[in-house]
Amino acid sequence: MSKRIDSTPRQDGFRMPGEHEPQAAVWMAWPERTDNWRFGGKPAQSTFVKVAQAISQSTPVNMVVSAQQFENARQMLPDNVRLIEMSTDDSWMRDIGPSYVVDNQGHRRGVDWHFNAWGGLVDGLYFPWDKDDAVAQKVCEFHGDASYRAPIVLEGGSIHVDGEGTLYTTEECLLHPSRNPDLSKEEIEQVLYDYLAVEKVVWIPNGLYNDETNGHVDNLIHVVRPGEVVLTWCEDKNDPQYDISRRALDVLETQTDAKGRRIKVHKLPMPGPLFISENEASGVDVSEGMERTPGERLAGSYANYLVTNDQIVYPLLDEKLDSEVEDLLNDLYPGYKITGVDAREILLGGGNIHCITQQVPCA
């Protein structure tokens, strides 16, 4: 029986597992928002199909879709991808889905954060966002999992955990005035301790340059395994990302994780820089919140990949670097299947493969 629970995961002996731990399902949501996805979302839909196909080799995929798009999505998606009709405002499942927690007895529960479209009335990307805010509870209901309604605004892409007590985030996002302006850094940390049962928060100053999510950590780094991360790296001194990556490296290499380990950092080359073309911008409906104009810099990053049951699904973003990144991922994840998907269409919408997926751990 799924229900709301008034205590906290920490009190109940639950913790958030790392992405490298076994998964029962991955959730996605079908793109159709015309002021975000060009040409009515058609190019993006084809890309989402490829991502779903790739993931479904290792993990069952549940795709959320609106009533209007149900038949279209069913026709485009492989039979082994399950379709669930559900209302959303857009398709960033990482940020609107639940963050799952597990205990040592094999039980699983969801954490349902408040969602305000990356900034609410201060600098949110769209309004309203109430359908998105309801998705996490609906996912938990679907699985019959109980859930906690956490007391803060938070998106799943703004945190990474290692499953052993360490959480990585950025000050740029979690301390942004558009998220939880009434709470101090210490108070936000306490909520993370209570609702994800982490022991230590590693605060990286900024996320990727020009990331409209106010610098989500999942677009800058990824946790390879406990005590080890990849970091988006830029060698061009004139690029704004150059200093951002160096400040991040400094934090990561001078701190220890929750278990007292020095954090090992692998440098992942930054694609591009990449920009929206005239043709790409022409297919997007004009909106107040989202910049989709020609020449706008895209927040492209290879760190925005998904780890799912001994498979890595990563974005192909730059022909000059795609195979180098594949080699690096093969080195970092021995025994894993490394699958690249041409992901520029997802990037044009403001994120990438990690942003459009949300895993459910095995119970």
Side-chain angles (χ1 to χ4, degrees):
M1 185 64 188
S2 49
K3 61 177 190 314
R4 288 287 200 201
I5 298 178
D6 289 333
S7 55
T8 67
R10 179 180 281 283
Q11 287 170 334
D12 299 338
F14 284 76
R15 64 165 182 101
M16 185 172 174
E19 214 169 290
H20 54 277
E21 297 183 53
Q23 296 172 16
V26 168
W27 284 73
M28 297 175 64
W30 192 248
E32 58 177 286
R33 193 184 174 99
T34 57
D35 60 355
N36 190 25
W37 307 103
R38 66 196 187 109
F39 304 128
K42 293 300 155 209
Q45 287 168 6
S46 300
T47 301
F48 275 54
V49 168
K50 292 189 182 95
V51 172
Q53 277 173 324
I55 296 167
S56 68
Q57 298 173 73
S58 303
T59 310
V61 176
N62 294 331
M63 181 75 75
V64 165
V65 63
S66 70
Q68 296 84 340
Q69 279 287 317
F70 194 94
E71 287 304 323
N72 176 47
R74 183 66 286 165
Q75 206 149 11
M76 290 179 70
L77 286 159
D79 293 344
N80 65 345
V81 172
R82 176 190 258 156
L83 275 194
I84 294 125
E85 190 183 306
M86 195 185 288
S87 317
T88 62
D89 296 300
D90 203 355
S91 44
W92 303 104
M93 192 48 94
R94 175 69 47 186
D95 294 343
I96 62 178
S99 298
Y100 263 93
V101 290
V102 295
D103 69 5
N104 295 332
Q105 278 75 56
H107 302 120
R108 171 179 80 198
R109 291 175 183 173
V111 177
D112 174 4
W113 310 98
H114 289 261
F115 177 77
N116 72 355
W118 310 275
L121 300 178
V122 179
D123 66 345
L125 299 185
Y126 49 72
F127 178 88
W129 52 75
D130 53 313
K131 293 188 187 82
D132 278 350
D133 193 32
V135 165
Q137 187 180 1
K138 290 176 180 176
V139 169
C140 295
E141 288 279 347
F142 178 89
H143 286 293
D145 297 329
S147 63
Y148 303 87
R149 178 67 161 168
I152 62 170
V153 172
L154 184 137
E155 304 97 37
S158 69
I159 55 170
H160 260 312
V161 300
D162 69 355
E164 293 188 3
T166 311
L167 181 144
Y168 299 87
T169 191
T170 65
E171 293 175 349
E172 179 186 356
C173 185
L174 259 58
L175 305 185
H176 199 276
S178 68
R179 296 310 198 277
N180 301 285
D182 303 335
L183 298 181
S184 69
K185 187 177 185 178
E186 291 68 34
E187 287 168 326
I188 291 169
E189 254 185 25
Q190 192 56 54
V191 174
L192 298 172
Y193 294 151
D194 291 342
Y195 282 83
L196 300 174
V198 292
E199 308 293 333
K200 178 162 186 179
V201 178
V202 176
W203 292 91
I204 297 167
N206 294 90
L208 207 71
Y209 175 69
N210 208 35
D211 185 340
E212 63 188 6
T213 64
N214 307 114
H216 272 188
V217 79
D218 74 345
N219 216 20
L220 180 74
I221 73 161
H222 207 304
V223 177
V224 178
R225 55 187 65 83
E228 210 169 319
V229 301
V230 291
L231 166 66
T232 301
W233 194 249
C234 171
E235 295 286 8
D236 178 3
K237 283 197 170 109
N238 299 315
D239 193 300
Q241 187 57 41
Y242 183 87
D243 288 333
I244 294 171
S245 291
R246 272 153 187 76
R247 285 197 298 272
L249 181 68
D250 186 52
V251 166
L252 291 164
E253 289 194 330
T254 55
Q255 291 201 42
T256 53
D257 68 5
K259 297 275 187 234
R261 289 176 287 233
R262 296 293 298 272
I263 300 162
K264 188 173 181 186
V265 183
H266 304 275
K267 293 170 182 170
L268 201 55
M270 183 183 80
L274 308 170
F275 302 89
I276 299 181
S277 72
E278 195 92 39
N279 174 44
E280 288 165 342
S282 72
V284 185
D285 289 355
V286 176
S287 81
E288 264 179 54
M290 296 179 275
E291 282 294 326
R292 301 288 180 265
T293 48
E296 179 75 15
R297 169 121 169 211
L298 296 162
S301 165
Y302 287 111
N304 207 307
Y305 59 83
L306 176 72
V307 183
T308 181
N309 290 337
D310 299 336
Q311 186 185 10
I312 308 292
V313 184
Y314 82 103
L316 301 174
L317 295 168
D318 184 339
E319 286 174 354
K320 296 191 291 292
L321 293 169
D322 288 342
S323 58
E324 182 186 326
V325 170
E326 183 180 10
D327 292 343
L328 185 60
L329 291 171
N330 269 310
D331 288 345
L332 292 176
Y333 294 95
Y336 278 68
K337 179 183 174 72
I338 312 293
T339 311
V341 178
D342 183 347
R344 185 170 174 92
E345 289 299 334
I346 312 173
L347 178 58
L348 289 169
N352 227 296
I353 289 171
H354 195 256
C355 306
I356 63 166
T357 54
Q358 179 62 276
Q359 72 277 359
V360 177
C362 290

